[in-house]
Coordinates of all heavy atoms in Angstrom, one line a residue:
M1263 N 168.6 44.7 75.2 CA 167.3 44.2 75.6 C 167.5 43.6 77.0 O 168.5 43.1 77.3 CB 166.7 43.3 74.6 CG 165.4 42.8 75.0 SD 164.6 41.8 73.8 CE 163.4 42.9 73.2
A1264 N 166.4 43.5 77.6 CA 166.4 42.9 79.0 C 166.7 41.4 79.0 O 166.3 40.7 78.1 CB 165.0 43.1 79.6
G1265 N 167.5 41.0 80.0 CA 167.8 39.6 80.1 C 166.8 38.8 80.9 O 166.9 37.6 81.0
W1266 N 165.9 39.5 81.6 CA 164.9 38.9 82.4 C 163.5 39.5 82.2 O 163.4 40.7 82.2 CB 165.2 39.0 83.9 CG 164.2 38.4 84.7 CD1 164.1 37.1 85.1 CD2 163.1 39.0 85.3 NE1 163.0 36.9 85.9 CE2 162.3 38.1 86.0 CE3 162.6 40.3 85.3 CZ2 161.2 38.4 86.7 CZ3 161.4 40.6 86.0 CH2 160.7 39.6 86.7
L1267 N 162.6 38.7 81.9 CA 161.2 39.1 81.8 C 160.3 38.1 82.6 O 160.6 36.9 82.5 CB 160.7 39.2 80.4 CG 161.3 40.3 79.5 CD1 160.8 40.2 78.1 CD2 160.8 41.7 80.0
P1268 N 159.3 38.6 83.3 CA 158.4 37.7 84.0 C 157.6 36.8 83.1 O 157.3 37.2 82.0 CB 157.5 38.6 84.8 CG 157.5 39.9 84.0 CD 158.9 40.0 83.4
Q1269 N 157.4 35.6 83.5 CA 156.5 34.7 82.8 C 155.1 34.9 83.4 O 154.8 34.4 84.5 CB 157.0 33.2 83.0 CG 158.4 33.0 82.4 CD 158.4 33.3 81.0 OE1 157.6 32.8 80.2 NE2 159.4 34.1 80.5
L1270 N 154.3 35.7 82.8 CA 153.0 36.1 83.3 C 152.0 34.9 83.3 O 151.9 34.2 82.3 CB 152.5 37.3 82.5 CG 153.4 38.5 82.5 CD1 152.8 39.5 81.5 CD2 153.5 39.1 83.9
T1271 N 151.2 34.9 84.3 CA 150.1 34.0 84.4 C 148.8 34.7 84.7 O 147.7 34.2 84.7 CB 150.3 32.9 85.5 OG1 150.5 33.5 86.7 CG2 151.5 32.0 85.1
S1272 N 148.9 36.0 85.0 CA 147.8 36.9 85.3 C 148.2 38.3 85.1 O 149.4 38.6 85.1 CB 147.2 36.7 86.7 OG 148.1 37.1 87.7
I1273 N 147.3 39.2 85.0 CA 147.6 40.7 85.0 C 146.9 41.3 86.2 O 145.6 41.3 86.3 CB 147.1 41.3 83.6 CG1 147.9 40.7 82.5 CG2 147.2 42.8 83.7 CD1 147.6 41.2 81.1
D1274 N 147.7 41.7 87.1 CA 147.1 42.2 88.4 C 146.7 43.7 88.4 O 146.0 44.1 89.3 CB 148.1 41.9 89.5 CG 148.5 40.5 89.6 OD1 147.6 39.6 89.4 OD2 149.6 40.1 89.9
D1275 N 147.2 44.5 87.5 CA 146.9 45.9 87.5 C 146.5 46.3 86.0 O 147.2 47.0 85.3 CB 148.2 46.7 87.9 CG 147.9 48.2 88.1 OD1 146.7 48.6 88.2 OD2 148.9 48.9 88.3
P1276 N 145.3 45.9 85.6 CA 144.9 46.2 84.2 C 144.5 47.6 84.1 O 144.0 48.3 85.0 CB 143.7 45.3 84.0 CG 143.1 45.1 85.4 CD 144.3 45.1 86.3
I1277 N 144.9 48.2 82.9 CA 144.5 49.5 82.5 C 143.4 49.5 81.4 O 142.7 50.5 81.2 CB 145.7 50.4 82.1 CG1 146.4 49.9 80.9 CG2 146.6 50.6 83.3 CD1 147.5 50.8 80.4
A1278 N 143.3 48.4 80.8 CA 142.2 48.2 79.8 C 141.9 46.8 79.6 O 142.7 45.9 79.7 CB 142.7 48.8 78.4
D1279 N 140.6 46.5 79.5 CA 140.1 45.1 79.4 C 138.9 45.2 78.5 O 137.9 45.9 78.7 CB 139.8 44.6 80.7 CG 139.4 43.1 80.7 OD1 140.1 42.3 80.1 OD2 138.4 42.8 81.3
D1280 N 138.8 44.3 77.4 CA 137.7 44.4 76.5 C 137.6 43.0 75.8 O 138.6 42.3 75.7 CB 138.0 45.5 75.4 CG 136.7 45.9 74.7 OD1 135.6 45.4 75.0 OD2 136.9 46.7 73.7
Y1281 N 136.5 42.8 75.2 CA 136.2 41.6 74.3 C 136.1 42.2 72.9 O 135.4 43.2 72.7 CB 135.0 40.9 74.7 CG 135.1 40.0 75.9 CD1 134.8 40.5 77.2 CD2 135.6 38.7 75.8 CE1 135.0 39.7 78.3 CE2 135.7 37.9 77.0 CZ 135.4 38.4 78.2 OH 135.6 37.7 79.3
W1282 N 136.8 41.5 72.0 CA 136.7 41.8 70.6 C 136.1 40.6 69.9 O 136.4 39.5 70.3 CB 138.0 42.2 70.0 CG 138.5 43.5 70.3 CD1 138.2 44.3 71.4 CD2 139.5 44.3 69.7 NE1 138.9 45.5 71.4 CE2 139.7 45.5 70.3 CE3 140.3 44.0 68.5 CZ2 140.7 46.4 69.9 CZ3 141.2 45.0 68.1 CH2 141.4 46.2 68.8
S1283 N 135.4 40.8 68.8 CA 134.9 39.7 68.0 C 135.4 39.9 66.6 O 135.8 41.0 66.2 CB 133.4 39.6 68.0 OG 132.8 40.8 67.4
F1284 N 135.4 38.8 65.9 CA 135.8 38.8 64.5 C 135.1 37.6 63.8 O 134.6 36.7 64.5 CB 137.4 38.7 64.3 CG 138.0 37.4 64.8 CD1 138.2 36.3 63.9 CD2 138.4 37.3 66.1 CE1 138.8 35.2 64.4 CE2 138.9 36.1 66.6 CZ 139.1 35.0 65.7
E1285 N 135.2 37.6 62.5 CA 134.5 36.5 61.8 C 135.6 35.6 61.1 O 136.6 36.1 60.5 CB 133.6 37.1 60.7 CG 132.8 36.0 59.9 CD 131.9 36.7 58.9 OE1 130.8 37.1 59.3 OE2 132.3 36.7 57.7
T1286 N 135.5 34.3 61.3 CA 136.4 33.4 60.7 C 136.1 33.2 59.2 O 135.1 33.7 58.7 CB 136.3 32.0 61.3 OG1 135.0 31.4 61.0 CG2 136.4 32.0 62.8
D1287 N 137.0 32.6 58.5 CA 136.9 32.3 57.1 C 135.6 31.5 56.8 O 135.0 31.6 55.7 CB 138.1 31.6 56.5 CG 139.3 32.4 56.5 OD1 139.2 33.7 56.5 OD2 140.4 31.9 56.4
E1288 N 135.2 30.7 57.8 CA 134.0 29.9 57.6 C 132.7 30.7 58.0 O 131.6 30.2 58.0 CB 134.1 28.7 58.5 CG 135.2 27.7 58.1 CD 136.5 28.2 58.5 OE1 136.6 28.9 59.5 OE2 137.5 27.8 57.8
G1289 N 132.9 32.0 58.4 CA 131.7 32.8 58.7 C 131.3 32.7 60.2 O 130.2 33.2 60.5
Q1290 N 132.0 32.1 61.0 CA 131.7 31.9 62.4 C 132.2 33.1 63.2 O 133.3 33.6 63.0 CB 132.2 30.6 63.0 CG 131.7 29.4 62.4 CD 132.3 28.1 63.0 OE1 133.5 28.1 63.2 NE2 131.5 27.1 63.1
K1291 N 131.4 33.6 64.2 CA 131.9 34.7 65.0 C 132.7 34.1 66.2 O 132.2 33.2 66.9 CB 130.6 35.4 65.5 CG 130.9 36.7 66.2 CD 129.6 37.5 66.5 CE 129.9 38.9 66.9 NZ 128.7 39.7 67.1
R1292 N 133.8 34.7 66.4 CA 134.7 34.3 67.5 C 134.9 35.5 68.4 O 134.9 36.7 68.0 CB 136.1 33.8 67.0 CG 136.0 32.6 66.1 CD 135.8 31.4 67.0 NE 135.9 30.2 66.1 CZ 135.0 29.2 66.1 NH1 134.0 29.3 66.9 NH2 135.2 28.2 65.3
F1293 N 135.2 35.2 69.7 CA 135.4 36.3 70.7 C 136.8 36.1 71.3 O 137.3 35.0 71.5 CB 134.4 36.2 71.8 CG 133.0 36.6 71.3 CD1 132.2 35.6 70.9 CD2 132.6 37.9 71.3 CE1 130.9 35.9 70.4 CE2 131.3 38.2 70.9 CZ 130.5 37.2 70.4
V1294 N 137.5 37.3 71.5 CA 138.8 37.3 72.1 C 138.8 38.3 73.2 O 138.3 39.4 73.0 CB 139.9 37.6 71.1 CG1 141.2 37.7 71.7 CG2 139.9 36.7 70.0
R1295 N 139.3 38.0 74.4 CA 139.5 39.0 75.5 C 140.9 39.5 75.4 O 141.9 38.8 75.2 CB 139.3 38.3 76.8 CG 139.4 39.3 78.0 CD 139.2 38.6 79.3 NE 139.2 39.6 80.4 CZ 139.1 39.2 81.6 NH1 139.0 38.0 82.0 NH2 139.1 40.2 82.5
I1296 N 141.0 40.9 75.5 CA 142.2 41.6 75.4 C 142.4 42.3 76.7 O 141.5 43.1 77.1 CB 142.3 42.5 74.2 CG1 142.1 41.7 72.9 CG2 143.6 43.3 74.3 CD1 141.9 42.6 71.7
T1297 N 143.4 42.1 77.5 CA 143.7 42.8 78.7 C 145.1 43.4 78.6 O 146.1 42.7 78.3 CB 143.6 41.9 79.9 OG1 142.3 41.2 79.9 CG2 143.8 42.6 81.2
V1298 N 145.2 44.7 78.9 CA 146.5 45.4 78.9 C 146.8 45.8 80.3 O 145.9 46.4 81.0 CB 146.4 46.6 78.0 CG1 147.8 47.3 78.0 CG2 146.0 46.2 76.6
G1299 N 148.0 45.5 80.8 CA 148.4 45.8 82.2 C 149.1 47.1 82.2 O 149.6 47.6 81.1
R1300 N 149.3 47.7 83.3 CA 150.0 49.0 83.5 C 151.5 48.7 83.2 O 152.1 47.7 83.8 CB 149.9 49.5 84.9 CG 150.5 50.8 85.2 CD 150.2 51.3 86.6 NE 148.8 51.3 86.8 CZ 147.9 52.2 86.4 NH1 148.3 53.2 85.7 NH2 146.6 52.1 86.7
P1301 N 152.2 49.4 82.4 CA 153.6 49.2 82.2 C 154.4 49.4 83.5 O 154.1 50.2 84.3 CB 154.0 50.4 81.2 CG 152.7 50.7 80.5 CD 151.7 50.5 81.5
V1302 N 155.4 48.5 83.6 CA 156.3 48.6 84.8 C 157.7 48.4 84.4 O 158.1 47.8 83.4 CB 155.9 47.4 85.8 CG1 154.5 47.6 86.4 CG2 156.0 46.1 85.2
P1303 N 158.6 49.0 85.3 CA 160.1 48.8 85.0 C 160.5 47.3 85.1 O 159.9 46.6 85.9 CB 160.8 49.6 86.1 CG 159.7 50.5 86.7 CD 158.4 49.8 86.5
I1304 N 161.4 46.9 84.3 CA 161.9 45.6 84.4 C 162.9 45.6 85.5 O 163.9 46.3 85.5 CB 162.6 45.2 83.1 CG1 161.7 45.2 81.9 CG2 163.3 43.8 83.2 CD1 162.3 45.0 80.5
P1305 N 162.6 44.7 86.5 CA 163.5 44.7 87.7 C 165.0 44.4 87.4 O 165.2 43.4 86.6 CB 162.9 43.6 88.6 CG 161.5 43.5 88.1 CD 161.5 43.8 86.7
G1306 N 165.9 45.2 87.8 CA 167.3 45.0 87.6 C 167.8 45.2 86.3 O 169.0 45.0 86.0
D1307 N 167.0 45.8 85.4 CA 167.5 46.1 84.0 C 168.4 47.3 84.0 O 168.1 48.3 84.5 CB 166.3 46.3 83.1 CG 166.8 46.5 81.6 OD1 167.1 45.5 81.0 OD2 166.9 47.7 81.2
P1308 N 169.7 47.1 83.6 CA 170.6 48.2 83.6 C 170.3 49.3 82.7 O 170.8 50.5 82.9 CB 172.0 47.5 83.2 CG 171.6 46.3 82.4 CD 170.2 45.9 83.0
N1309 N 169.5 49.1 81.7 CA 169.1 50.2 80.8 C 167.9 50.9 81.2 O 167.5 51.9 80.6 CB 168.9 49.6 79.4 CG 170.1 48.9 78.8 OD1 171.2 49.5 78.9 ND2 169.9 47.8 78.2
G1310 N 167.2 50.4 82.2 CA 166.0 51.1 82.7 C 164.8 50.8 81.8 O 163.9 51.6 81.7
D1311 N 164.8 49.7 81.1 CA 163.7 49.3 80.2 C 162.5 49.0 81.0 O 162.5 48.6 82.2 CB 164.1 48.2 79.2 CG 165.1 48.6 78.2 OD1 165.2 49.8 77.9 OD2 165.8 47.7 77.6
W1312 N 161.3 49.0 80.3 CA 160.0 48.7 80.9 C 159.4 47.6 80.1 O 159.8 47.3 79.0 CB 159.1 49.9 80.8 CG 159.5 51.0 81.8 CD1 160.7 51.7 81.8 CD2 158.6 51.6 82.7 NE1 160.6 52.7 82.8 CE2 159.4 52.6 83.4 CE3 157.3 51.4 83.2 CZ2 158.9 53.4 84.4 CZ3 156.8 52.2 84.2 CH2 157.6 53.2 84.8
Y1313 N 158.3 47.0 80.7 CA 157.5 46.0 79.9 C 156.0 46.3 80.2 O 155.7 46.9 81.3 CB 157.9 44.6 80.2 CG 157.4 44.1 81.6 CD1 156.2 43.4 81.7 CD2 158.1 44.2 82.7 CE1 155.7 42.9 82.9 CE2 157.7 43.8 84.0 CZ 156.5 43.1 84.0 OH 156.0 42.6 85.2
C1314 N 155.2 45.9 79.3 CA 153.8 46.1 79.4 C 153.1 44.7 79.4 O 153.3 44.0 78.4 CB 153.2 47.0 78.3 SG 151.5 47.3 78.4
P1315 N 152.4 44.3 80.4 CA 151.8 43.0 80.4 C 150.6 43.0 79.4 O 149.8 44.0 79.3 CB 151.2 42.9 81.8 CG 152.0 43.8 82.6 CD 152.3 45.0 81.7
L1316 N 150.4 42.0 78.6 CA 149.4 41.9 77.6 C 148.8 40.5 77.6 O 149.6 39.5 77.6 CB 149.9 42.3 76.3 CG 149.0 42.1 75.1 CD1 147.8 43.0 75.2 CD2 149.8 42.3 73.8
L1317 N 147.5 40.4 77.6 CA 146.8 39.1 77.5 C 145.9 39.1 76.3 O 145.1 40.0 76.2 CB 146.0 38.8 78.8 CG 145.0 37.6 78.7 CD1 145.7 36.3 78.5 CD2 144.1 37.6 79.9
I1318 N 146.1 38.2 75.4 CA 145.2 38.0 74.3 C 144.6 36.6 74.5 O 145.3 35.6 74.4 CB 145.8 38.1 72.9 CG1 146.4 39.5 72.8 CG2 144.8 37.8 71.8 CD1 147.2 39.8 71.5
E1319 N 143.4 36.5 74.9 CA 142.8 35.2 75.4 C 141.7 34.8 74.5 O 140.6 35.3 74.5 CB 142.3 35.4 76.8 CG 141.7 34.1 77.4 CD 141.2 34.4 78.9 OE1 141.1 35.5 79.3 OE2 141.0 33.3 79.5
Y1320 N 142.0 33.7 73.7 CA 140.9 33.0 73.0 C 140.3 32.1 74.0 O 140.9 31.7 75.0 CB 141.5 32.2 71.8 CG 142.1 33.1 70.7 CD1 143.4 33.6 70.8 CD2 141.3 33.5 69.7 CE1 143.9 34.4 69.9 CE2 141.9 34.4 68.7 CZ 143.2 34.8 68.8 OH 143.7 35.6 67.8
P1321 N 139.0 31.6 73.7 CA 138.4 30.7 74.7 C 139.3 29.6 75.1 O 139.8 28.9 74.2 CB 137.2 30.2 73.9 CG 136.8 31.4 73.0 CD 138.2 31.9 72.6
Q1322 N 139.6 29.5 76.3 CA 140.4 28.4 76.9 C 141.8 28.4 76.4 O 142.5 27.4 76.6 CB 139.7 27.0 76.6 CG 138.2 27.1 76.6 CD 137.7 26.2 77.7 OE1 138.1 25.1 77.9 NE2 136.7 26.7 78.4
H1323 N 142.3 29.5 75.9 CA 143.7 29.5 75.4 C 144.3 30.9 75.6 O 144.3 31.7 74.7 CB 143.8 29.1 74.0 CG 145.2 29.2 73.4 ND1 146.2 28.4 73.9 CD2 145.8 29.9 72.5 CE1 147.3 28.6 73.2 NE2 147.1 29.6 72.4
P1324 N 144.8 31.2 76.9 CA 145.4 32.5 77.1 C 146.8 32.6 76.6 O 147.6 31.7 76.7 CB 145.4 32.6 78.6 CG 145.4 31.2 79.1 CD 144.8 30.4 78.1
D1325 N 147.1 33.7 75.9 CA 148.5 34.0 75.5 C 148.9 35.3 76.3 O 148.4 36.4 76.0 CB 148.6 34.3 74.0 CG 148.5 33.0 73.2 OD1 149.0 32.0 73.7 OD2 148.0 33.0 72.1
F1326 N 149.9 35.1 77.2 CA 150.5 36.3 77.9 C 151.8 36.7 77.3 O 152.6 35.9 76.8 CB 150.8 35.9 79.4 CG 149.6 35.7 80.2 CD1 149.0 34.5 80.4 CD2 149.0 36.8 80.8 CE1 147.8 34.3 81.2 CE2 147.9 36.6 81.6 CZ 147.3 35.4 81.8
Y1327 N 151.9 38.1 77.2 CA 153.1 38.7 76.7 C 153.7 39.7 77.7 O 152.9 40.4 78.3 CB 152.8 39.4 75.4 CG 152.2 38.5 74.3 CD1 150.8 38.4 74.2 CD2 153.0 37.8 73.4 CE1 150.2 37.6 73.3 CE2 152.4 37.1 72.4 CZ 151.0 36.9 72.3 OH 150.4 36.2 71.4
S1328 N 155.0 39.8 77.7 CA 155.7 40.9 78.4 C 156.3 41.7 77.3 O 157.4 41.4 76.8 CB 156.8 40.3 79.4 OG 156.2 39.6 80.4
V1329 N 155.7 42.8 76.9 CA 156.1 43.6 75.8 C 157.0 44.7 76.2 O 156.7 45.5 77.0 CB 154.9 44.2 75.0 CG1 155.3 44.8 73.8 CG2 153.8 43.1 74.7
V1330 N 158.3 44.7 75.7 CA 159.3 45.5 76.2 C 159.3 46.9 75.4 O 159.0 46.9 74.2 CB 160.7 44.8 76.0 CG1 161.8 45.7 76.4 CG2 160.7 43.6 76.8
G1331 N 159.7 47.9 76.1 CA 159.9 49.2 75.5 C 161.0 49.9 76.3 O 161.4 49.5 77.4
V1332 N 161.5 51.1 75.8 CA 162.6 51.8 76.4 C 162.0 52.7 77.5 O 162.8 53.3 78.3 CB 163.4 52.7 75.4 CG1 164.1 51.8 74.5 CG2 162.5 53.7 74.7
G1333 N 160.7 52.8 77.7 CA 160.0 53.5 78.7 C 158.6 53.0 78.8 O 158.2 52.2 78.0
P1334 N 157.8 53.6 79.7 CA 156.4 53.1 79.8 C 155.6 53.3 78.6 O 154.8 52.5 78.2 CB 155.9 53.9 81.0 CG 156.8 55.1 81.2 CD 158.1 54.6 80.6
V1335 N 155.7 54.5 78.0 CA 154.9 54.8 76.8 C 155.3 53.9 75.6 O 154.4 53.4 74.9 CB 154.9 56.3 76.4 CG1 154.2 56.6 75.1 CG2 154.3 57.1 77.6
D1336 N 156.6 53.7 75.4 CA 157.1 52.8 74.4 C 156.6 51.4 74.6 O 156.2 50.7 73.6 CB 158.6 52.9 74.3 CG 159.1 52.2 73.0 OD1 158.6 52.5 71.9 OD2 160.1 51.5 73.2
A1337 N 156.6 50.9 75.8 CA 156.2 49.5 76.1 C 154.7 49.4 75.8 O 154.2 48.4 75.1 CB 156.4 49.2 77.5
L1338 N 153.9 50.4 76.1 CA 152.5 50.4 75.9 C 152.2 50.5 74.4 O 151.4 49.8 73.8 CB 151.8 51.6 76.6 CG 150.3 51.7 76.4 CD1 149.5 50.5 76.8 CD2 149.8 53.0 77.1
R1339 N 152.9 51.3 73.7 CA 152.8 51.4 72.2 C 153.1 50.1 71.5 O 152.4 49.7 70.6 CB 153.7 52.5 71.7 CG 153.6 52.7 70.1 CD 154.7 53.7 69.7 NE 156.0 53.3 69.9 CZ 156.7 52.5 69.0 NH1 156.2 52.2 67.9 NH2 158.0 52.2 69.3
N1340 N 154.2 49.5 72.0 CA 154.5 48.2 71.4 C 153.5 47.1 71.6 O 153.2 46.3 70.8 CB 155.9 47.7 71.9 CG 157.0 48.6 71.4 OD1 156.9 49.3 70.4 ND2 158.1 48.6 72.1
A1341 N 152.9 47.1 72.8 CA 151.8 46.2 73.1 C 150.6 46.5 72.2 O 150.0 45.5 71.7 CB 151.4 46.3 74.6
M1342 N 150.3 47.7 72.0 CA 149.1 48.0 71.1 C 149.4 47.7 69.7 O 148.5 47.3 68.9 CB 148.8 49.5 71.2 CG 148.3 49.9 72.6 SD 146.7 49.1 73.1 CE 147.3 47.6 73.9
R1343 N 150.7 47.7 69.3 CA 151.0 47.3 67.9 C 150.8 45.8 67.8 O 150.3 45.4 66.7 CB 152.5 47.6 67.6 CG 152.9 47.1 66.2 CD 154.3 47.5 65.9 NE 154.2 49.0 65.6 CZ 155.3 49.8 65.7 NH1 156.4 49.3 66.1 NH2 155.2 51.0 65.4
I1344 N 151.1 45.0 68.8 CA 150.8 43.6 68.7 C 149.3 43.3 68.6 O 148.9 42.5 67.8 CB 151.4 42.8 70.0 CG1 152.9 42.8 69.9 CG2 150.8 41.4 70.1 CD1 153.5 42.3 71.2
V1345 N 148.5 44.1 69.3 CA 147.0 43.9 69.2 C 146.6 44.3 67.8 O 145.9 43.6 67.1 CB 146.3 44.7 70.3 CG1 144.8 44.7 70.0 CG2 146.6 44.2 71.7
G1346 N 147.0 45.4 67.3 CA 146.6 45.9 66.0 C 147.1 44.9 64.9 O 146.3 44.6 64.0
D1347 N 148.3 44.5 65.0 CA 148.8 43.6 63.9 C 148.0 42.2 64.0 O 147.8 41.6 62.9 CB 150.3 43.3 64.1 CG 151.2 44.5 63.8 OD1 150.6 45.5 63.2 OD2 152.4 44.4 64.1
G1348 N 147.6 41.8 65.2 CA 146.9 40.5 65.3 C 145.5 40.5 64.7 O 145.0 39.5 64.3
F1349 N 144.9 41.7 64.6 CA 143.6 41.8 64.1 C 143.5 42.4 62.7 O 142.4 42.5 62.1 CB 142.7 42.6 65.1 CG 142.4 41.8 66.3 CD1 143.3 41.8 67.4 CD2 141.3 41.0 66.4 CE1 143.0 41.0 68.5 CE2 141.0 40.3 67.5 CZ 141.9 40.3 68.6
R1350 N 144.6 42.9 62.2 CA 144.6 43.6 60.9 C 143.9 42.9 59.8 O 143.1 43.5 59.0 CB 146.0 44.0 60.5 CG 146.1 44.8 59.2 CD 147.5 45.2 58.9 NE 147.9 46.1 59.9 CZ 149.1 46.1 60.5 NH1 149.9 45.1 60.2 NH2 149.4 46.9 61.4
D1351 N 144.2 41.6 59.6 CA 143.7 40.9 58.4 C 142.4 40.1 58.7 O 142.0 39.4 57.8 CB 144.8 40.0 57.9 CG 146.0 40.8 57.4 OD1 145.8 41.9 56.9 OD2 147.1 40.3 57.5
L1352 N 141.8 40.3 59.8 CA 140.6 39.5 60.1 C 139.4 40.3 59.6 O 139.4 41.5 59.5 CB 140.5 39.3 61.6 CG 141.6 38.4 62.2 CD1 141.4 38.4 63.8 CD2 141.6 37.1 61.6
R1353 N 138.3 39.6 59.5 CA 137.1 40.2 59.0 C 136.1 40.6 60.1 O 136.1 39.9 61.1 CB 136.3 39.2 58.0 CG 137.1 39.0 56.7 CD 136.2 38.2 55.8 NE 136.0 36.9 56.5 CZ 135.4 35.9 55.9 NH1 135.1 35.9 54.7 NH2 135.2 34.7 56.5
K1354 N 135.4 41.6 59.9 CA 134.4 42.1 60.8 C 134.8 42.2 62.3 O 134.2 41.6 63.2 CB 133.1 41.2 60.7 CG 132.5 41.3 59.3 CD 131.2 40.5 59.3 CE 130.6 40.6 57.9 NZ 129.3 39.8 57.8
V1355 N 136.0 42.8 62.5 CA 136.5 43.0 63.8 C 135.7 44.0 64.6 O 135.4 45.1 64.0 CB 138.0 43.4 63.8 CG1 138.5 43.8 65.2 CG2 138.8 42.4 63.1
S1356 N 135.3 43.7 65.8 CA 134.4 44.6 66.5 C 134.9 44.7 68.0 O 134.7 43.7 68.7 CB 133.0 44.2 66.5 OG 132.1 45.0 67.2
P1357 N 135.4 45.9 68.4 CA 135.7 46.1 69.9 C 134.3 46.1 70.6 O 133.3 46.3 70.0 CB 136.4 47.4 69.9 CG 136.9 47.6 68.5 CD 135.9 47.0 67.6
R1358 N 134.4 46.1 71.9 CA 133.2 46.1 72.8 C 132.2 45.0 72.5 O 131.0 45.2 72.5 CB 132.6 47.4 72.8 CG 133.4 48.5 73.4 CD 132.7 49.8 73.6 NE 132.0 50.2 72.4 CZ 131.3 51.2 72.2 NH1 131.1 52.1 73.2 NH2 130.7 51.5 71.1
A1359 N 132.7 43.9 72.0 CA 131.8 42.7 71.7 C 131.4 42.0 73.0 O 132.3 41.7 73.8 CB 132.6 41.8 70.7
K1360 N 130.2 41.7 73.1 CA 129.7 41.0 74.3 C 129.6 39.5 73.9 O 128.8 39.1 73.1 CB 128.4 41.5 74.7 CG 127.9 40.9 76.0 CD 126.7 41.6 76.5 CE 126.2 40.9 77.7 NZ 126.0 41.7 78.8
P1361 N 130.5 38.7 74.5 CA 130.4 37.2 74.2 C 129.2 36.6 74.9 O 128.6 37.2 75.9 CB 131.7 36.7 74.9 CG 132.0 37.7 75.9 CD 131.5 39.0 75.5
P1362 N 128.7 35.6 74.3 CA 127.5 34.9 74.9 C 127.9 34.4 76.3 O 129.0 34.0 76.6 CB 127.2 33.7 73.9 CG 128.4 33.6 73.1 CD 129.2 34.9 73.1
A1363 N 126.9 34.4 77.2 CA 127.1 33.9 78.5 C 127.5 32.5 78.5 O 127.0 31.7 77.8 CB 125.9 34.2 79.4
A1364 N 128.5 32.1 79.4 CA 128.8 30.7 79.5 C 127.7 30.0 80.2 O 127.1 30.5 81.1 CB 130.1 30.6 80.3
P1365 N 127.5 28.7 79.8 CA 126.4 27.9 80.4 C 126.7 27.6 81.8 O 127.8 27.5 82.3 CB 126.4 26.6 79.5 CG 127.6 26.6 78.8 CD 128.2 28.0 78.8

């Protein structure tokens, strides 16, 4: 595995960006922004591994990930697995959810 991964603070080359909603146990609707970046080679990695930038952003709490794979498709697949696993057990998950406008 790679010895160096970037500590992401933004995704500069997104390939997908969407808001998803879900329902909490208390019945409240919550929104999450999901942004997937274009997979890129890990600089200097002797194995030629890649990483896929991923942002899962709850309101005011962004979580950035550098998801590793043995190539660009594998890195993207691994990133999508994180998204799928994160929403698997939630209720009323809805892609293309439009969050209310910020005041």
